Amino acid sequence: MRFIINEEKPKASRSCPFASVSPQDMLDLMQSVEPIGVWRIDIDKGHFYGCDSFHMIFESEPQTGPLNVKHFASRVHPDDIGMLMETFQRICETGETYHAVHRVIKLDGSLKYVRAMGAFRPTAHGSGEVYGLLFDLVPRVCSVTFFQPATSA
C-alpha cells in the first residue's frame, strides 16, 4: 500500500461560501450518501476516539469514550500497519496532511479497502492531536435502464 504525504501544511484560515452551514450538518449530509468514519487521537493521553460510522466500517460495536487502539490496529492488515504508524509519527512532527488506501481485516477474515485521510493540529494544552476521516471503498454498481419507444401493433 502506498501512503501519500501532502507537503503543504493546511492553511490556517480559508474563505468558505458555506460558512453558515454547520460542520455537523455537512457531515450528516455526507454520511447520508456513504458512511464516513471520523476519528481522532489525543497524543498526550494516548486516547483514540471514533464515531459510530467509524465502528461500522471496522465492524465493531459503537462505544463512548476512548477506544482500544490495539484492537483497531489488529484489524489493519499487517503489511499496512507499519506504514500507517510511521505516517502518524511523520505528520505529528511536520504538520503535513496525508491520505492513503489501506486494508482492513473483516470479521469473516476477508479484506476490504478503506481510504483514510488525516492531519495534525496543535491544541491549546499539550502536544496536539491527529484527526481524520475514513471511507469504506465499497464497489459501486450502477445500472442504467433504457427506455424503448412503444411499438405500434
Side-chain angles (χ1 to χ4, degrees), residues 79-144:
D79 292 344
D80 299 344
I81 192 68
M83 287 186 291
L84 188 59
M85 294 296 112
E86 287 174 18
T87 300
F88 285 164
Q89 182 176 347
R90 182 172 171 191
I91 65 174
C92 288
E93 292 169 356
T94 65
E96 297 167 336
T97 60
Y98 86 97
H99 65 94
V101 174
H102 63 85
R103 295 163 287 184
V104 170
I105 302 167
K106 296 171 61 171
L107 292 177
D108 66 6
S110 64
L111 298 175
K112 70 175 170 178
Y113 289 83
V114 296
R115 179 173 187 226
M117 60 185 68
F120 168 82
R121 70 173 164 209
T123 55
H125 306 327
S127 301
E129 65 184 9
V130 178
Y131 67 100
L133 303 173
L134 186 71
F135 302 86
D136 193 349
L137 295 179
V138 177
R140 304 278 190 261
V141 179
C142 298
S143 63
V144 178

Side-chain angles (χ1 to χ4, degrees), residues 34-112:
E34 75 177 280
I36 300 171
V38 179
W39 56 268
R40 74 179 180 88
I41 301 169
D42 181 318
I43 295 169
D44 289 327
K45 294 179 182 175
H47 289 171
F48 176 51
Y49 302 91
C51 71
D52 289 353
S53 295
F54 177 89
H55 288 280
M56 183 188 318
I57 292 168
F58 271 91
E59 300 177 336
S60 65
E61 288 296 319
Q63 64 187 62
T64 58
L67 308 177
N68 183 330
V69 176
K70 289 182 181 182
H71 168 74
F72 286 96
S74 74
R75 300 288 305 284
V76 174
H77 192 279
D79 292 344
D80 299 344
I81 192 68
M83 287 186 291
L84 188 59
M85 294 296 112
E86 287 174 18
T87 300
F88 285 164
Q89 182 176 347
R90 182 172 171 191
I91 65 174
C92 288
E93 292 169 356
T94 65
E96 297 167 336
T97 60
Y98 86 97
H99 65 94
V101 174
H102 63 85
R103 295 163 287 184
V104 170
I105 302 167
K106 296 171 61 171
L107 292 177
D108 66 6
S110 64
L111 298 175
K112 70 175 170 178

